[in-house]
Amino acid sequence: MLNPCPTHINLKVYRPRKPQDSAYYRCVEDCFETFEQVYQERFEQKYGFFRPYVRQVIYRYLDCGILKNGFARVRCEDCGHEYLLAHSCKRRHFCPSCHQKRVVEFGEWLCQEVVKAVPHRHVVLSIPKILRRYFLYDRKLLSDLSRCGWEALKAFYTAVTRDQKAVPGAVVAIQTFGDFPQGFHPHLHILVSDGCFHGNGMFSVSPTADTKALEQIFRHKLLKMLVAKGKITQDMIMLLDKWRHTGFNVFFGPRILPRQEKSMETLARYIIRAAFSQERMNYHRETGQVQYRSKDGKEIKVFDALEWLAAMCSHVPNTGKQMARYYGFYSNVARGKRKKTDADNKIPCFLEPELTGKTSRRNWARLIQKIYEVDPLVCPKCFGAMRIIAFIEEPDVMKKILKHLGLWDVKRKPRPVANAPPIDFFPAYDQQPGPSADDYIKDPDYPAEAYF
Ligand SMILES: [Zn+2]
Ligand SMILES: [Zn+2]
């Protein structure tokens, strides 16, 4: 039955997208085999050994959102309209759609369950170019980089408090890319409380301090760590000492106050953003080239597709590595202790928790609505309520349904499949003009990247 409500007429409706049609998908699909074959010869020196985990990530991505790998039937209860919802790969970083969903979940979780309603700052710490390769060849050092950043901030913030037990709280995310994904550029994006938490549930806001001191502490901690790990010698430190610009950089963002919830959530998403944006990419199959636009649209660079893929793969973190680490008042241990003693609510979180439990937070329909402003459970024909009526995973049944609907594409060449079937749903979105993924992970209001 048609829903007569006229306000529904201008609503955007959800249509599952076809991932195979995206420039990124076509590029990966065309190139991944050659890429693996030539990797050692062409890219090993620049990007380090080929990691088997990356292969798995690529295969999973190529299966993501592909109906042939299983789907759910979503049906309108009023008019009977149906669409198919394909499974998703759930792989972060390499798969733009799955990463996007994680970013939204992360932003909510951070604001509702980790960061407290006290002033915060966005701090970016970067290192000289000459030191970057150590982190590429030995990725375990990335956790040490993160710790050095935290220790520097802790020393910086506690210097002004007289309370020995007072600590700041910080969320540290490692990014390895700049505006263009080419090159390996490890640096830290940190969300830190702008002051220290005392044991008694009090918080003291930090007076404005000279950030030059922060740069010096960070530099000292990092070089000390690299020497201790046997990566660099005193000679390197002496060389760095001679430079007029140290190559170490500190970006110290403006204060974000407790009532600026939107800025905080945007920032939380920003620190774990994807290495690239699909919307800014073009792929030319004939020339084997990728064209990529800078964020401000002023610069367009052209890359060899294989080179592009090598860069993209270099930003995939090792398996199981967290997107962000938590320190001080926000560390897992500190949060766990406060929860146990019921002391975590003395200072409320930045946002009121809306949802409890992982399941509701990961509800695919809710996330799609939040990202793309379309409700996948609203019928595009009659605006009635839709629901999942069945999961189809039996190969014969899948084939039959897809053939019947003319969606069984036999022209596609077969390729190796990933070890396990993908799970969860594909957060599909409409390919037609609408909000772009970029719009929903907007940069903070200030030029975070102007410092690179
Ligand atoms: Zn309907
Ligand atoms: Zn995916």
Side-chain angles (χ1 to χ4, degrees):
M1 210 177 77
L2 279 172
N3 186 332
C5 177
T7 56
H8 280 131
I9 288 166
N10 292 325
L11 273 180
K12 276 180 255 165
V13 291
Y14 163 90
R15 284 187 195 90
R17 73 162 193 173
K18 291 193 192 105
Q20 303 100 310
D21 292 347
S22 81
Y24 181 59
Y25 189 96
R26 282 185 289 119
C27 172
V28 177
E29 190 185 38
D30 283 355
C31 303
F32 82 100
E33 276 167 319
T34 321
F35 172 68
E36 256 196 84
Q37 285 158 12
V38 304
Y39 188 89
Q40 194 179 10
E41 194 188 318
R42 280 190 61 187
F43 304 116
E44 194 171 279
Q45 206 182 357
K46 188 168 175 189
Y47 291 110
F49 293 114
F50 186 75
R51 295 171 291 151
Y53 175 64
V54 168
R55 178 184 302 129
Q56 200 195 37
V57 169
I58 296 176
Y59 289 176
R60 286 282 179 91
Y61 165 66
L62 289 170
D63 280 347
C64 183
I66 305 297
L67 290 168
K68 270 193 242 174
N69 298 311
F71 51 83
R73 285 173 63 187
V74 183
R75 194 180 148 92
C76 173
E77 289 174 338
D78 291 341
C79 75
H81 171 71
E82 255 189 52
Y83 72 79
L84 306 181
L85 184 70
H87 290 324
S88 75
C89 73
K90 284 182 94 179
R91 287 297 180 274
R92 304 167 294 166
H93 301 278
F94 198 80
C95 175
S97 306
C98 293
H99 189 85
Q100 180 81 348
K101 204 165 68 158
R102 288 291 286 263
V103 162
V104 173
E105 273 173 41
F106 176 81
E108 283 183 348
W109 180 76
L110 210 64
C111 293
Q112 293 172 13
E113 293 191 29
V114 182
V115 294
K116 296 294 183 183
V118 298
H120 281 79
R121 282 186 197 268
H122 177 202
V123 175
V124 184
L125 301 176
S126 38
I127 62 171
K129 210 170 176 176
I130 197 167
L131 300 178
R132 292 177 192 167
R133 57 198 166 107
Y134 300 113
F135 297 88
L136 175 65
Y137 296 138
D138 184 356
R139 280 170 185 267
K140 283 194 224 93
L141 285 181
L142 290 169
S143 332
D144 299 297
L145 174 68
S146 166
R147 177 148 284 279
C148 289
W150 156 245
E151 283 176 359
L153 274 172
K154 187 178 159 200
F156 177 73
Y157 274 111
T158 49
V160 286
T161 26
R162 292 202 185 90
D163 181 354
Q164 289 279 316
K165 284 189 186 147
V167 276
V171 184
V172 182
I174 301 163
Q175 282 186 11
T176 54
F177 47 85
D179 194 10
F180 286 94
Q182 262 52 34
F184 192 77
H185 172 21
H187 58 285
L188 304 173
H189 280 263
I190 306 170
L191 224 167
V192 64
S193 63
D194 195 22
C196 291
F197 294 92
H198 300 268
N200 55 5
M202 298 296 282
F203 179 82
S204 52
V205 179
S206 169
T208 317
D210 176 16
T211 55
K212 196 76 203 156
L214 176 60
E215 186 191 305
Q216 279 161 359
I217 311 169
F218 176 56
R219 180 180 188 276
H220 172 76
K221 299 259 179 208
L222 190 89
L223 294 178
K224 198 172 144 191
M225 181 277 286
L226 288 174
V227 171
K229 299 265 173 189
K231 301 290 172 188
I232 61 168
T233 61
Q234 290 299 329
D235 292 347
M236 170 70 92
I237 298 181
M238 274 157 66
L239 174 78
L240 288 169
D241 276 342
K242 283 187 198 138
W243 291 4
R244 212 153 61 87
H245 297 291
T246 64
F248 284 88
N249 253 316
V250 171
F251 166 75
F252 204 66
R255 233 173 227 162
I256 301 169
L257 298 170
R259 253 173 261 123
Q260 295 172 298
E261 290 102 348
K262 200 75 214 141
S263 307
M264 191 58 156
E265 204 170 356
T266 306
L267 183 55
R269 292 177 182 187
Y270 182 79
I271 66 171
I272 61 154
R273 74 199 171 106
F276 83 114
S277 145
Q278 286 204 93
E279 284 82 2
R280 290 194 263 138
M281 172 190 180
N282 261 321
Y283 167 61
H284 302 278
R285 190 170 249 166
E286 302 71 33
T287 56
Q289 284 178 327
V290 168
Q291 221 182 37
Y292 195 71
R293 250 181 313 119
S294 63
K295 202 173 300 164
D296 57 12
K298 286 180 186 154
E299 202 184 346
I300 294 177
K301 287 188 184 173
V302 177
F303 304 96
D304 171 68
L306 295 175
E307 172 74 38
W308 166 267
L309 207 51
M312 292 306 305
C313 291
S314 77
H315 302 305
V316 174
N318 277 341
T319 170
K321 282 283 166 238
Q322 306 111 301
M323 311 255 254
R325 293 176 170 78
Y326 310 90
Y327 297 101
F329 197 73
Y330 298 156
S331 73
N332 296 341
V333 175
R335 277 188 290 126
K337 263 190 199 159
R338 288 198 298 276
K339 286 239 157 76
K340 250 187 199 160
T341 54
D342 245 358
D344 203 33
N345 295 331
K346 277 188 187 161
I347 306 179
C349 277
F350 224 90
L351 286 179
E352 284 281 314
E354 281 169 30
L355 300 152
T356 45
K358 278 184 185 169
T359 339
S360 50
R361 199 184 302 285
R362 289 191 177 163
N363 180 298
W364 66 273
R366 196 183 65 79
L367 288 169
I368 290 174
Q369 195 171 16
K370 194 153 177 179
I371 300 171
Y372 303 109
E373 290 181 347
V374 286
D375 187 339
L377 293 179
V378 168
C379 173
K381 294 262 163 75
C382 76
F383 303 111
M386 301 189 83
R387 63 184 188 87
I388 293 177
I389 52 161
F391 295 101
I392 314 292
E393 264 136 16
E394 184 62 44
D396 290 343
V397 183
M398 284 190 321
K399 193 170 173 179
K400 209 170 155 191
I401 294 177
L402 293 176
K403 274 195 163 165
H404 176 72
L405 295 169
L407 295 168
W408 185 258
D409 178 7
V410 283
K411 280 171 279 168
R412 208 156 278 277
K413 64 176 178 182
R415 53 180 177 72
V417 287
N419 302 334
I423 37 175
D424 201 21
F425 297 108
F426 185 66
Y429 63 90
D430 201 342
Q431 290 268 304
Q432 289 161 8
S436 100
D438 264 5
D439 292 340
Y440 291 90
I441 309 186
K442 281 198 189 99
D443 288 355
D445 300 338
Y446 41 91
E449 288 204 329
Y451 290 76
F452 306 140

